[in-house]
Amino acid sequence: MFSLPLGLLWGQLLVSSAVPTPPRAAPVAAPNDNRTTVVGTVPAVALTLVEALWKPEGGQGPALNVWAMTSSDSLPVVPSPLIRMARGRTLQLRLTNTLRDTIDVHGLRATREANDVVVLLPGESRTISVTYGRSGQFLYWGGRHGQSFDDRGWEEGQLTGAIVVDDPQQPRGGDRVFVVTESFKFEEVAGRREVVSQLAVNGLSWPHTEPLRYAMGDSVHWRWLNGATIPHPMHLHGFYYRVSAMTTLAAETRTPPARQPLVVTQYLPPGNTMQMAFLPTEPGNWVFHCHFAQHVNGVSTADTVYRDAERRMAYTLEGRHMSGLVMGLTVTSPEPTPERAATRHLRLFMDKKSTPFTHGGEGVAFALADSTGAVAQNGFRVPAPVLLLKRGERVAITLVNRLPQATSVHWHGLEIESYPDGVPHVSGRDGKLLHPIPAGDSLTVNFAPPRSGTFMYHSHFSEASQMNGGMYGAILVLDDPARYSPATDHLFVIGGGGIPAVPLGTASPWGLVNGRTSPPPVSMKVGERHRFRFASIHPDWEVRVTLGTLTQAMAWTPVAKDGAELPAVLRTPVPATWMGGPGETADFEVTPSRPGDYLLQVRTESSGWSIVIPVTVKAVGPR
Ligand SMILES: [Cu+2]
């Protein structure tokens, strides 16, 4: 996902080097929480493009030279001002370009059409009249003249804002608008070309993003607009959410309630937006974050500030182990969380583990202790051992950290209490917070998974190295684990392939399925019903999975997403292909109708890696 065509790369460099340094007098842009619209009682709205200093880490943090927008005489804001009004309203938008470049501003008419552009020469002012006839949320964005959305780089990345047109028939409640922005460039560091990227939500990067508070049981309605040129699989801890509408830059898809799956992760491509809702039913602290490790791990997001490895590690240990696209939310309740006793106990060890895939580096792995509580040195596995849990049964898991570094483990997708959820310094409530497990230490957490399905567990600390290094695995929650039959119930854990020496800010070029580059074949019989479970947990890559011949997909029936059963209307046969971002699981039922040799392909969409698993379907023999 970080691999860019060379042409773009050079174009970016040339464009960047031509930009003059803004004068020191550039105003500091204020973070825009997107609560207040610039639309008042009069139809006139003024938007001015200016040079500004942006502080994604708040007032004490570093200032980055960007371009931003102001409304009327106020300070510039990042993201650009929220334009929100009822459908049918007509506005006179007066645009002024004080920059020394010609700027195209796209999307102001909220038509999602390619010709929705206003071209502003340096110093030029123009007024357009717009009647907003369609409700929904829309991105508007500025770029250098002729630039496409995906080509935007450093300064222009913050010329990005939201237009929300409210349907007068459906008055808005307390919904919130979140705009993801990105400034992105290449920089020569010690003779190497490195990606420098700063991501933010409503103008701020974790841990400076706005803390959100909700009372338990209050429904939460959010609109997320991805104004970045990279996708973000957005993962909610603790609760499922539903997506009622998604848009691209060109089209909108609304999903009626009966067709909305429950998800814990929704993949949000560049320029896309979503409307989502959920019901917080468990008190404590939770996070909503991008599941690409590089976007939350202080590797690419904070590296504008913390460039060298030592300072980055110090940043990690300071308790700010995440940065970039993370929102924290606190769910309040007057009721205490009761202590509950577990009926089953597991010991899970974490240690260094070198595999052929760690490319000479040192990987990390999990191992389950045997009945004596001990673990064999050859018991460490990549991926981690599958945890077979019984629905509703409370299990205590002792995490024994034999690594030379701190770690923490997240039980991904499980609706459990906040404390065991695994986000260091965040998980927990009322002052009892989870801490990272120091090297050589252990921690026991307990929880009862309430739902049968396909889930995951993984390191939630230094994810870019610990998850790429092997600290990930699947959890199968079943009504009756004794009836689990791997011969017809196939699990494919798609994850990182060790810790190779990959330059910072780039994606690992390796991936594994069930810990291998050539997994063993799958054997099926005509007419026999199988379940295929995919757990997508590579920290750097979204993957495309297809089942069929090279030219034709087989049919399968989607049955679950992120561990939750799909609504009945979605459980119908479709061509066997699925795109999964990190943090997504999906289950499909496959009943082959014809004998033959097929392929299960798992591959990254563009450059990257590809893994092929042979699938043989045998005819049923004569009786
Ligand atoms: Cu991301």
Side-chain angles (χ1 to χ4, degrees):
M1 28 145 309
F2 281 98
S3 311
L4 296 162
L6 267 182
L8 167 61
L9 194 146
W10 282 109
Q12 203 88 42
L13 274 180
L14 291 173
V15 167
S16 292
S17 61
V19 175
T21 311
R24 294 212 170 268
V28 173
N32 170 14
D33 66 8
N34 278 307
R35 284 170 180 268
T36 312
T37 175
V38 292
V39 180
T41 49
V42 296
V45 172
L47 294 173
T48 305
L49 284 65
V50 298
E51 291 176 344
L53 296 172
W54 173 42
K55 296 188 163 189
E57 303 220 339
Q60 304 304 311
L64 310 178
N65 293 322
V66 297
W67 296 339
M69 289 196 205
T70 74
S71 60
S72 60
D73 291 333
S74 53
L75 284 174
V77 289
V78 169
S80 298
L82 173 67
I83 301 173
R84 183 165 194 168
M85 70 259 119
R87 193 178 62 210
R89 196 71 199 273
T90 299
L91 300 182
Q92 314 295 327
L93 298 176
R94 180 170 174 79
L95 299 154
T96 303
N97 178 15
T98 71
L99 303 171
R100 279 166 281 181
D101 289 64
T102 299
I103 301 294
D104 299 347
V105 183
H106 298 253
L108 282 170
R109 296 183 179 88
T111 60
R112 303 191 205 287
E113 281 163 15
N115 62 2
D116 183 356
V117 188
V118 179
V119 180
L120 297 164
L121 298 171
E124 189 181 14
S125 284
R126 295 184 62 156
T127 300
I128 60 168
S129 176
V130 186
T131 300
Y132 290 96
R134 199 184 313 179
S135 57
Q137 69 272 359
F138 305 81
L139 269 172
Y140 72 97
W141 56 279
R144 296 162 198 275
H145 184 53
Q147 207 171 29
S148 73
F149 182 85
D150 292 339
D151 285 346
R152 297 192 307 155
W154 189 261
E155 292 84 359
E156 61 274 29
Q158 303 310 321
L159 292 175
T160 306
I163 298 173
V164 177
V165 183
D166 289 305
D167 183 344
Q169 309 305 319
Q170 295 174 334
R172 66 171 149 139
D175 73 345
R176 291 295 308 272
V177 177
F178 300 99
V179 177
V180 174
T181 57
E182 171 202 21
S183 279
F184 167 89
K185 64 184 172 185
F186 292 94
E187 211 167 68
E188 293 286 330
V189 177
R192 272 205 321 260
R193 185 183 298 111
E194 282 195 1
V195 171
V196 180
S197 154
Q198 178 68 54
L199 288 158
V201 181
N202 284 354
L204 293 166
S205 168
W206 177 267
H208 306 278
T209 49
E210 178 188 341
L212 302 167
R213 283 180 81 82
Y214 297 97
M216 194 163 91
D218 282 4
S219 64
V220 179
H221 294 265
W222 288 346
R223 296 172 194 255
W224 278 78
L225 297 91
N226 181 8
T229 64
I230 40 180
H232 303 297
M234 298 304 297
H235 172 53
L236 180 62
H237 284 226
F239 317 105
Y240 283 93
Y241 64 98
R242 293 182 192 273
V243 176
S244 57
M246 282 203 71
T247 71
T248 66
L249 287 171
E252 180 184 61
T253 308
R254 292 192 191 200
T255 308
R259 300 185 69 87
Q260 294 168 11
L262 289 169
V263 302
V264 297
T265 305
Q266 173 67 49
Y267 185 81
L268 201 58
N272 281 225
T273 80
M274 67 173 167
Q275 255 179 281
M276 58 176 282
F278 64 96
L279 202 60
T281 47
E282 181 66 39
N285 302 325
W286 306 97
V287 286
F288 183 62
H289 68 90
C290 173
H291 219 288
F292 279 129
Q294 307 258 7
H295 299 180
V296 297
N297 194 214
V299 174
S300 78
T301 48
D303 67 358
T304 47
V305 195
Y306 306 99
R307 299 285 301 166
D308 60 281
E310 229 168 86
R311 288 189 65 191
R312 193 176 296 114
M313 183 50 74
Y315 179 95
T316 295
L317 296 176
E318 268 170 34
R320 304 193 295 172
H321 61 102
M322 302 182 292
S323 65
L325 299 189
V326 185
M327 296 295 292
L329 51 145
T330 298
V331 178
T332 59
S333 162
E335 300 296 320
T337 301
E339 296 284 338
R340 299 177 179 102
T343 51
R344 187 181 171 203
H345 195 183
L346 297 174
R347 281 171 76 78
L348 196 56
F349 287 75
M350 293 156 277
D351 205 344
K352 292 179 286 184
K353 159 94 176 174
S354 290
T355 71
F357 310 113
T358 50
H359 304 272
E362 211 151 51
V364 285
F366 287 101
L368 262 180
D370 62 21
S371 55
T372 70
V375 62
Q377 198 51 44
N378 64 5
F380 288 87
R381 296 267 180 273
V382 175
V386 177
L387 301 185
L388 271 182
L389 304 182
K390 183 176 164 62
R391 178 171 60 87
E393 182 182 62
R394 187 158 286 269
V395 59
I397 302 180
T398 299
L399 299 159
V400 184
N401 182 12
R402 289 184 180 174
L403 296 167
Q405 60 203 248
T407 190
S408 190
V409 181
H410 169 53
W411 318 97
H412 182 112
L414 297 185
E415 302 146 284
I416 58 178
E417 295 89 344
S418 175
Y419 182 79
D421 185 60
V423 185
H425 311 297
V426 173
S427 298
R429 60 176 297 204
D430 304 333
K432 188 200 174 194
L433 298 186
L434 186 90
H435 292 283
I437 310 166
D441 210 335
S442 70
L443 172 76
T444 301
V445 294
N446 85 52
F447 52 81
R451 191 186 296 260
S452 290
T454 308
F455 303 93
M456 304 187 281
Y457 65 111
H458 62 81
S459 163
H460 215 289
F461 192 83
S462 290
E463 289 95 324
S465 65
Q466 292 192 350
M467 280 174 63
N468 254 323
M471 285 180 68
Y472 62 88
I475 299 172
L476 294 189
V477 182
L478 301 170
D479 289 3
D480 182 1
R483 294 186 57 192
Y484 173 56
S485 166
T488 54
D489 193 335
H490 311 273
L491 173 64
F492 303 94
V493 181
I494 302 157
I499 305 181
V502 172
L504 291 168
T506 55
S508 163
W510 292 282
L512 300 173
V513 175
N514 293 343
R516 308 174 74 146
T517 51
S518 299
V522 173
S523 179
M524 306 170 80
K525 283 185 195 137
V526 167
E528 189 177 60
R529 189 166 69 184
H530 289 242
R531 191 179 185 106
F532 281 44
R533 302 171 188 259
F534 299 101
S536 172
I537 194 65
H538 197 298
D540 296 336
W541 291 102
E542 61 278 69
V543 291
R544 166 69 59 184
V545 175
T546 50
L547 173 64
T549 64
L550 280 178
T551 53
Q552 196 181 4
M554 289 170 75
W556 65 18
T557 301
V559 290
K561 158 87 169 104
D562 296 343
E565 260 186 43
L566 288 174
V569 288
L570 298 181
R571 280 183 266 140
T572 55
V574 293
T577 182
W578 176 67
M579 204 286 293
E584 293 187 71
T585 76
D587 295 19
F588 301 90
E589 279 180 0
V590 187
T591 307
S593 56
R594 253 174 268 151
D597 293 322
Y598 301 91
L599 301 170
L600 178 64
Q601 297 185 68
V602 179
R603 60 182 163 79
T604 55
E605 292 271 23
S606 48
S607 57
W609 47 271
S610 160
I611 289 172
V612 177
I613 303 161
V615 176
T616 306
V617 177
K618 294 191 177 111
V620 181
R623 285 161 198 265

